[in-house]
Amino acid sequence: MKSSNIGGQAVMEGIMMRHKDVYSIAVRKPDKEIEIKVEDYKSVMKWKSLLKIPILRGVFNFIDSLVVGTKCLMYSAMFFEEEEEQEKRKTLEGEERVREEAKKEKQDKLLMTGTVIFSIIFSVALFMVLPYLLASLLHKIGATETMITIAEAAVRICLFLGYLLLISKMEDIQRLFMYHGAEHKCINCVEHGMPLTVENVMKSSRLHKRCGTSFLFFVIIISIVFFMGFFAIVPIQTLWLRVIVRILLVPVIAGVSYEIIKLAGNSDNCVVSLLSKPGMALQKLTTKEPTPDMAEVAIAAVEAVFDWRAYLEENFPEKTGNGEP
């Protein structure tokens, strides 16, 4: 498989696809038409040179993904607002409409900022801090720090799996996971040298090594290794200091995880493929088989930012008829 460097995510009744410095959002509106929006991708980090530094680039890419992902979700949700709200906007004219739109844009920015901050705090608290606090209760029965670290790892994995299982039962999330599957199928279709048609997309795999689910899995596993190694070298005994150190190590863990997922997405090495299997297995929870109309949305999102025909001609000339006879 040859990487296309396309990435994306599912949004409400649609898909976001990003390639290099541009991204698209394709949404199936209530009237069944596909709305496509294309925008330039702007990183929160203005100094481009820092985005080339291994590990550090992973931290900023993670933040960028949260910002752009939240923005795209909010955009897709706009098509499914209450009819009364839509009618209200249509009746506004002139300066009143301009003021209303400016007010909404400001509210959306505040909401997006708050959502990103909350998401980071919630994730760190749930998957980094809480597992240690629960595991540290073993101190009362005389457990060693090594035993507590192992227990912490077990709690973290259980929380992560439980969280995925819980949200996968929600009806709206199930549709989101179907679009997630369509996104993966679309990328796999292109990267395996097949023309981007609904038929080819539907028969492609819904699992992909560059998926965010795999990234989160690597974050959990690497955090276990980091915490065990760090506290073996620096034996901090105070509870609150150990919690703070865990929080401070989160960006480093995210950066290392990004490098691993980047390597996995660009390599067919058997060892790398083996390391990717647990994360891909988890994708069976976060992706579902999409419908053909969802595949159409995914294709529209890809074609808005990526010339898949040129990609196939360059990387699969034997399949496009441009290879040597």
Side-chain angles (χ1 to χ4, degrees), residues 7-35:
Q9 75 166 61
V11 296
M12 186 177 292
E13 294 301 321
I15 289 171
M16 179 274 283
M17 286 287 190
R18 176 195 166 195
H19 182 245
K20 296 183 178 178
D21 293 326
V22 64
Y23 68 93
S24 65
I25 316 165
V27 179
R28 179 79 69 179
K29 298 188 296 183
D31 63 6
K32 305 307 177 184
E33 293 294 318
I34 299 177
E35 180 83 11

Side-chain angles (χ1 to χ4, degrees), residues 256-271:
V256 173
S257 300
Y258 173 82
E259 298 302 326
I260 294 176
I261 203 76
K262 185 178 177 67
L263 173 65
N266 293 289
S267 174
D268 288 322
N269 180 277
C270 59
V271 176

Side-chain angles (χ1 to χ4, degrees), residues 162-180:
Y163 175 77
L164 291 181
L165 285 169
L166 181 64
I167 64 171
S168 67
K169 302 298 182 183
M170 300 168 63
E171 185 177 345
D172 288 343
I173 298 298
Q174 286 179 0
R175 286 196 63 81
L176 196 71
F177 285 176
M178 290 172 74
Y179 274 104
H180 190 192

Side-chain angles (χ1 to χ4, degrees), residues 145-163:
E145 285 300 329
T146 301
M147 292 171 61
I148 289 173
T149 303
I150 294 172
E152 176 188 359
V155 172
R156 183 173 292 116
I157 292 172
C158 288
L159 279 174
F160 182 57
L161 291 175
Y163 175 77

Side-chain angles (χ1 to χ4, degrees), residues 21-245:
D21 293 326
V22 64
Y23 68 93
S24 65
I25 316 165
V27 179
R28 179 79 69 179
K29 298 188 296 183
D31 63 6
K32 305 307 177 184
E33 293 294 318
I34 299 177
E35 180 83 11
I36 302 172
K37 180 181 181 182
V38 179
E39 288 198 357
D40 292 332
Y41 179 85
K42 298 177 182 178
S43 174
V44 295
M45 172 49 64
K46 303 305 179 184
W47 295 284
K48 299 293 184 181
S49 57
L50 292 179
L51 296 176
K52 298 178 181 179
I53 301 175
I55 299 181
L56 190 60
R57 63 187 174 188
V59 177
F60 292 115
N61 267 283
F62 176 66
I63 296 173
D64 285 343
S65 296
L66 282 176
V67 172
V68 173
T70 303
K71 183 179 180 181
C72 292
L73 278 169
M74 292 173 62
Y75 171 77
S76 65
M78 179 184 70
F79 295 99
F80 304 93
E81 292 177 337
E82 294 294 331
E83 290 184 10
E84 292 82 356
E85 183 66 24
Q86 294 180 9
E87 290 300 323
K88 177 184 174 182
R89 288 187 191 177
K90 289 178 182 178
T91 58
L92 297 177
E93 295 182 0
E95 293 183 5
E96 189 177 4
R97 173 176 287 186
V98 172
R99 284 197 301 270
E100 186 66 24
E101 289 179 351
K103 179 182 177 182
K104 186 178 186 307
E105 183 178 354
K106 184 177 180 180
Q107 290 174 339
D108 286 347
K109 286 182 178 179
L110 288 173
L111 179 60
M112 184 179 70
T113 302
T115 301
V116 171
I117 293 173
F118 174 79
S119 298
I120 293 174
I121 293 174
F122 175 78
S123 299
V124 171
L126 181 62
F127 299 117
M128 292 296 172
V129 178
L130 182 59
Y132 173 66
L133 294 178
L134 292 175
S136 65
L137 296 175
L138 295 176
H139 275 303
K140 296 180 179 180
I141 60 172
T144 64
E145 285 300 329
T146 301
M147 292 171 61
I148 289 173
T149 303
I150 294 172
E152 176 188 359
V155 172
R156 183 173 292 116
I157 292 172
C158 288
L159 279 174
F160 182 57
L161 291 175
Y163 175 77
L164 291 181
L165 285 169
L166 181 64
I167 64 171
S168 67
K169 302 298 182 183
M170 300 168 63
E171 185 177 345
D172 288 343
I173 298 298
Q174 286 179 0
R175 286 196 63 81
L176 196 71
F177 285 176
M178 290 172 74
Y179 274 104
H180 190 192
E183 175 221 331
H184 283 189
K185 280 175 171 282
C186 217
I187 296 173
N188 276 322
C189 177
V190 172
E191 293 185 340
H192 284 85
M194 294 187 292
L196 205 54
T197 64
V198 172
E199 181 182 2
N200 287 338
V201 169
M202 291 301 291
K203 67 183 181 183
S204 297
S205 172
R206 75 175 200 260
L207 311 180
H208 198 284
K209 289 190 288 186
R210 291 200 308 272
C211 177
T213 305
S214 294
F215 170 79
L216 292 175
F217 172 78
F218 279 123
V219 166
I220 289 174
I221 298 304
I222 291 169
S223 69
I224 294 169
V225 176
F226 265 58
F227 295 155
M228 289 186 72
F230 183 88
F231 292 112
I233 298 172
V234 186
I236 300 174
Q237 302 301 325
T238 310
L239 178 67
W240 66 270
L241 272 179
R242 294 177 75 90
V243 170
I244 289 176
V245 168

